[in-house]
Amino acid sequence: MAYSLHAALAGNPNSGKSTVFNALTGSRQHVGNYPGITVEKKDGVAKLADKTVHITDLPGAYSLTAYSQEELVARKVLVEERPDVVINILDAGALSRNLYLTVQLLEMGVPLVLGLNMLDELPAKGISIDIKRLGALLKTPTIGTVARNKEGLDELLTSACEVAVKYKGQAWNPITISYGNDLDPVIEEMTALITQNNFLTTKYPARWTAIKYLEADEEILSAGRAENPEVAGKLEELYEKVARHLKTTLDTYPEAVIADYRYGFISSIVRNGVVTQRDELARRASLSDKIDTVLTNTFVGPLIMIGIVYLIYKLTFLLGEAPLGYLEDFFAWLGEAVGNSLGEGVLSSLLVDGVIGGVGAVLGFAPLIMVIFILVAILEDSGYMARMAYMLDRIFRYFGLHGNTVMPFIISGGIAGGCAVPGVMATRTLRSPKEKLASILTAPLFACGAKLPVFLLICAVFFPEHADMVMFMITISAWILALLVAKLLRSTVLRGESTPFVMELPPYRMPTFKGVLLHMWERTWAYIRKAGTIILAVTIIIWAGLSYPELPQDIIDTYDTQRKQIETQLPDADEASLEEALADVDNEQALAALRNSYAGRLGVTLEPISEYAGFNWRVNLALIGGFAAKEVVVSTLGTAYSLGDVDPEEAESLQNQIKADSSWNIATGISFIIFVLIYAPCFPTLAVIKQESASWGWMIFATVFNTVLAFLLAVAAYQILYRVLVL
Ligand code: GDP
Ligand code: MG
């Protein structure tokens, strides 16, 4: 069958494009101007066996952003004429600079072939390039050429035809590059907005448009305003917001960050065994490189990394302990004060037991969490976090994960205090669907910010002396567990090839005081806001579930009778022992009421099963609440213990109430930590899992698998610790 294909030649000025064009088309060419402008337009025809290839020589361009007329024209031809294949000619002697355009072509998703030109000049420059490896890392056919001698050109054309035929009629397939923690969420938000509104989507891939908005690309901006002023307005607002944020935190602007990350992506490829420079002396070791010889050293690097993670917890408790105590005392005092002034009643119980007991328990941990966030912000802003990802990649490979999974893990709470929602979203940088799924399913296994207060509570009760060590152990265990689960998934339901890894190492930067504080405050504020909204709502629902139905009147009567009996039977007893006996009855009644409530009954019903893990009915309740959001675990415990505690004048902190509850012991504490760490992801995380995996099935899998795994491990831990070691 005779084919007629359309190919476009793209490349930097002086990369040899015209030389390639002339060699391929010979005399079959036509030179004119692009309509209305003086940029030269050259069209020609090449023949390859049964195929006729129409070739357009695009104007030379360094980028596809609207910086120059040439760049605009090149982009316009790609978008409007939709060539079947783009042949990107690169000057091999200036590979990094030339790849800047390539990256943008890949981000557009056009069917692409690379012609690595001017190979004849490499020896004189002392450079050698592994062309195969370059092609594999970019997942793009790459052919070495010397256009001036027509070397490699037939191969280049053949390869271009193959790609054109293979992708004919298919949608473009853009790659996703991470632009870091500041821009990625904005890009996601913009992309979602663009997709929902079909905003310019007939012309450009959604994410590409989002990136152009962040690059403040004039042409796209005005095209956007013409398309849909309302959506365009929202996108511009998002841009303004992140631009202001970058200005204040890092004193930079989105365009610069985007360029930085693109060059980061390129240098990670070039450094990844693609380019070897014979003359090592020519490579001036920058300060970053010097620091990296120590910090990412094969042996010392991982040790330093573990040391830093440990130091984070050590410092957290050192700095956060005192404020933690003040806040605890404050909420205890507040509960007492409100209880005393309102007396007994529904409103008082709602405020004291529900709101102050529940939300106070969550807010009480804010100081510790703030310190953790400060330290994590320092690691992030300095560029060390990226090095952690780089080092961990070597280990990840073994467990069937991709190096790009390290970031989602760290974001999810790999160091501490992350969140699986952006963590799961960050898996978008993974191109292999199976590696992506394995990352999505394991990211919720980390100690996210919401689980921290649960762990901190157990530490305060059972390990007050070694809280930092226990938190450190939890973190390490989460990593080991996530890797083992990934290995399990990748060798069963998600079996498949692994793909090569490319890592961006931004230069080290001195974090600014203001930047660190702002990053810390953003996260802390999100935590506090959550406590004031979702957690407050769930807490009130749980309080109601624990307060109703009230005990039937006949049972209340029996307690009243008991009290009367005590008063009549002990007429001569001293005041103190009489009061004690009466308080016992009060407590018994409160407990009976709790167990009789809707929520209480549910907790009690589950007790025969949960017993194996050492959980009493109050813990069951807390864990059920935690399906919605993990902070609710602590707030529910707060409410459940607060309601069972009848004497408002001696409102005890949750810690002390757990200490006083004989059904808790160290084995229960550890089994509780294990269960909370692993069981079902919270509702918001499940929503993004559904979105990212595009399947209800994987969302349900994450819920059921994690909960079953959590229960089995909790039972195992409890049985061993309690029955065998008798803790
Ligand atoms: P364009 O700006 O991309 O169209 O680049 P040209 O095709 O005009 O080439 C720029 C210069 O590089 C010309 O002097 C070409 O002769 C030269 N050139 C093209 N290909 C090669 C090659 O493979 N090796 C060498 N050494 N020179 C080349
Ligand atoms: Mg030219």
Side-chain angles (χ1 to χ4, degrees):
M1 199 177 79
Y3 252 101
S4 174
L5 296 168
H6 181 197
L9 275 174
N12 287 8
N14 282 319
S15 57
K17 247 169 358 77
S18 297
T19 312
V20 172
F21 179 79
N22 291 334
L24 289 178
T25 59
S27 55
R28 297 174 295 263
Q29 46 174 272
H30 167 80
V31 182
N33 271 349
Y34 282 97
I37 42 175
T38 56
V39 177
E40 193 180 349
K41 182 175 204 274
K42 286 205 275 181
D43 288 301
V45 175
K47 295 267 184 195
L48 184 86
D50 61 340
K51 297 184 188 70
T52 309
V53 188
H54 295 272
I55 302 180
T56 307
D57 185 17
L58 298 177
Y62 293 106
S63 150
L64 288 178
T65 309
Y67 293 138
S68 72
Q69 198 137 59
E70 280 74 15
E71 295 179 356
L72 267 177
V73 169
R75 183 163 99 190
K76 210 170 145 109
V77 173
L78 293 180
V79 172
E80 287 177 1
E81 299 184 10
R82 299 238 157 197
D84 300 309
V85 61
V86 175
I87 304 172
N88 181 193
I89 306 297
L90 297 96
D91 175 355
L95 188 59
S96 296
R97 168 165 61 71
N98 278 256
L99 280 172
Y100 196 74
L101 177 69
T102 311
V103 167
Q104 295 184 60
L105 290 167
L106 287 168
E107 279 191 299
M108 239 176 157
V110 296
L112 191 65
V113 173
L114 304 186
L116 201 56
N117 195 32
M118 312 220 186
L119 287 186
D120 57 328
E121 290 190 340
L122 291 187
K125 291 185 175 170
I127 300 171
S128 78
I129 295 182
D130 185 339
I131 300 175
K132 259 207 186 128
R133 194 167 171 81
L134 177 63
L137 288 173
L138 291 172
K139 294 204 178 71
T140 306
T142 304
I143 314 291
T145 61
V146 183
R148 213 162 51 177
N149 308 339
K150 302 195 189 217
E151 280 173 38
L153 295 185
D154 287 343
E155 216 187 318
L156 183 63
L157 191 61
T158 310
S159 176
C161 287
E162 277 168 18
V163 168
V165 170
K166 188 169 158 200
Y167 291 103
K168 187 125 187 152
Q170 287 185 32
W172 285 356
N173 179 24
I175 67 160
T176 302
I177 294 177
S178 166
Y179 287 106
N181 291 340
D182 285 310
L183 292 187
D184 277 348
V186 187
I187 296 177
E188 299 301 349
E189 201 178 329
M190 287 181 155
T191 308
L193 195 65
I194 290 166
T195 316
Q196 272 162 25
N197 293 288
N198 285 324
F199 181 81
L200 299 173
T201 43
T202 50
K203 278 188 157 182
Y204 311 106
R207 186 180 163 93
W208 188 85
T209 308
I211 294 168
K212 289 299 147 195
Y213 260 88
L214 290 177
E215 287 180 299
D217 184 296
E218 278 303 333
E219 202 204 32
I220 297 292
L221 282 175
S222 56
R225 282 181 207 126
E227 164 106 0
N228 181 339
E230 195 193 332
V231 178
K234 280 188 198 156
L235 291 171
E236 284 173 35
E237 243 169 61
L238 283 170
Y239 167 78
E240 296 293 342
K241 201 171 122 198
V242 73
R244 274 197 303 274
H245 176 85
L246 285 175
K247 185 84 209 148
T248 42
T249 53
L250 299 171
D251 194 23
T252 180
Y253 46 97
E255 297 92 305
V257 175
I258 288 177
D260 270 358
Y261 273 89
R262 275 199 193 122
Y263 276 118
F265 178 80
I266 291 166
S267 85
S268 67
I269 288 172
V270 171
R271 282 202 215 174
N272 204 319
V274 169
V275 173
T276 334
Q277 195 114 14
R278 202 165 5 93
D279 187 7
E280 281 295 331
L281 286 177
R283 255 184 34 202
R284 182 180 53 85
S286 67
L287 181 63
S288 268
D289 286 344
K290 274 185 201 148
I291 298 176
D292 272 339
T293 54
V294 181
L295 289 190
T296 64
N297 177 286
T298 319
F299 302 104
V300 191
L303 289 179
I304 296 177
M305 181 165 70
I306 292 174
I308 286 179
V309 174
Y310 177 68
L311 204 67
I312 286 184
Y313 290 115
K314 193 93 198 150
L315 276 172
T316 299
F317 287 97
L318 213 64
L319 301 174
E321 204 144 40
L324 179 73
Y326 303 146
L327 262 187
E328 222 166 53
D329 293 345
F330 168 75
F331 282 113
W333 168 85
L334 187 69
E336 256 180 64
V338 173
N340 286 339
S341 65
L342 289 179
E344 276 184 36
V346 177
L347 180 67
S348 160
S349 168
L350 172 64
L351 285 180
V352 176
D353 302 323
V355 178
I356 299 173
V359 176
V362 175
L363 283 185
F365 287 105
L368 282 190
I369 284 175
M370 239 154 115
V371 178
I372 292 185
F373 285 162
I374 288 182
L375 299 172
V376 170
I378 292 176
L379 286 193
E380 205 177 312
D381 290 2
S382 65
Y384 183 72
M385 206 93 114
R387 268 74 187 176
M388 296 185 72
Y390 170 77
M391 282 185 276
L392 287 166
D393 166 59
R394 298 171 210 165
I395 302 166
F396 271 47
R397 236 142 237 292
Y398 177 77
F399 291 92
L401 287 172
H402 190 269
N404 280 354
T405 307
V406 176
M407 257 327 178
F409 277 8
I410 290 177
I411 295 171
S412 299
I415 297 181
C419 175
V421 171
V424 168
M425 282 184 168
T427 60
R428 287 185 190 179
T429 51
L430 290 152
R431 287 167 83 184
S432 141
K434 285 181 176 169
E435 285 171 345
K436 181 177 167 181
L437 262 177
S439 316
I440 288 177
L441 294 171
T442 43
L445 295 173
F446 289 91
C448 72
K451 293 175 193 167
L452 287 181
V454 183
F455 303 150
L456 295 171
L457 172 71
I458 300 302
C459 285
V461 175
F462 295 108
F463 311 102
E465 303 292 313
H466 305 288
D468 46 8
M469 198 60 208
V470 173
M471 293 301 289
F472 175 69
M473 294 299 295
I474 293 174
T475 304
I476 300 290
S477 312
W479 280 92
I480 295 172
L481 183 78
L483 290 177
L484 289 177
V485 170
K487 183 85 182 167
L488 177 72
L489 293 173
R490 289 283 279 142
S491 41
T492 54
V493 282
L494 295 175
R495 196 185 336 211
E497 288 284 299
S498 53
T499 52
F501 167 68
V502 167
M503 180 67 224
E504 301 126 44
L505 288 187
Y508 283 106
R509 269 207 192 95
M510 196 63 192
T512 64
F513 185 66
K514 205 168 149 193
V516 167
L517 279 189
L518 264 166
H519 274 142
M520 175 279 290
W521 181 244
E522 279 164 11
R523 291 180 183 147
T524 308
W525 179 237
Y527 179 84
I528 294 174
R529 205 175 41 203
K530 214 161 142 202
T533 52
I534 305 174
I535 294 158
L536 177 63
V538 178
T539 301
I540 291 176
I541 294 169
I542 287 174
W543 168 84
L546 282 169
S547 302
Y548 299 98
E550 288 173 350
L551 280 177
Q553 194 54 47
D554 53 331
I555 296 186
I556 295 181
D557 289 344
T558 50
Y559 284 111
D560 284 342
T561 325
Q562 271 187 43
R563 273 186 282 262
K564 287 217 184 75
Q565 275 175 357
I566 290 170
E567 275 167 14
T568 45
Q569 276 170 12
L570 296 168
D572 308 323
D574 59 298
E575 198 82 338
S577 56
L578 180 65
E579 251 181 24
E580 203 175 297
L582 284 175
D584 280 350
V585 178
D586 288 350
N587 270 327
E588 228 170 84
Q589 181 180 352
L591 208 61
L594 259 184
R595 295 177 71 107
N596 177 61
S597 68
Y598 295 120
R601 283 180 217 171
L602 185 59
V604 173
T605 312
L606 289 172
E607 240 177 5
I609 312 168
S610 68
E611 229 168 44
Y612 290 104
F615 303 154
N616 65 30
W617 59 277
R618 281 187 171 109
V619 177
N620 291 348
L621 273 182
L623 293 173
I624 292 169
F627 273 96
K630 295 289 172 279
E631 293 96 332
V632 173
V633 174
V634 170
S635 67
T636 305
L637 276 179
T639 307
Y641 275 99
S642 184
L643 275 172
D645 179 33
V646 283
D647 194 347
E649 276 168 29
E650 278 173 41
E652 275 289 359
S653 74
L654 178 55
Q655 283 180 33
N656 291 338
Q657 281 168 328
I658 291 180
K659 272 181 207 154
D661 182 346
S662 61
S663 69
W664 280 89
N665 51 50
I666 291 186
T668 329
I670 292 175
S671 139
F672 186 62
I673 288 177
I674 293 173
F675 192 85
V676 170
L677 180 67
I678 304 168
Y679 87 114
C682 65
F683 288 170
T685 304
L686 287 175
V688 287
I689 291 180
K690 153 82 185 45
Q691 178 193 324
E692 291 302 316
S693 64
S695 128
W696 289 98
W698 286 116
M699 189 193 95
I700 294 167
F701 178 87
T703 312
V704 176
F705 177 82
N706 289 14
T707 308
V708 170
L709 180 69
F711 187 66
L712 293 179
L713 290 180
V715 169
Y718 180 73
Q719 297 296 335
I720 292 171
L721 292 172
Y722 187 65
R723 308 227 180 266
V724 182
L725 300 178
V726 203
L727 282 178

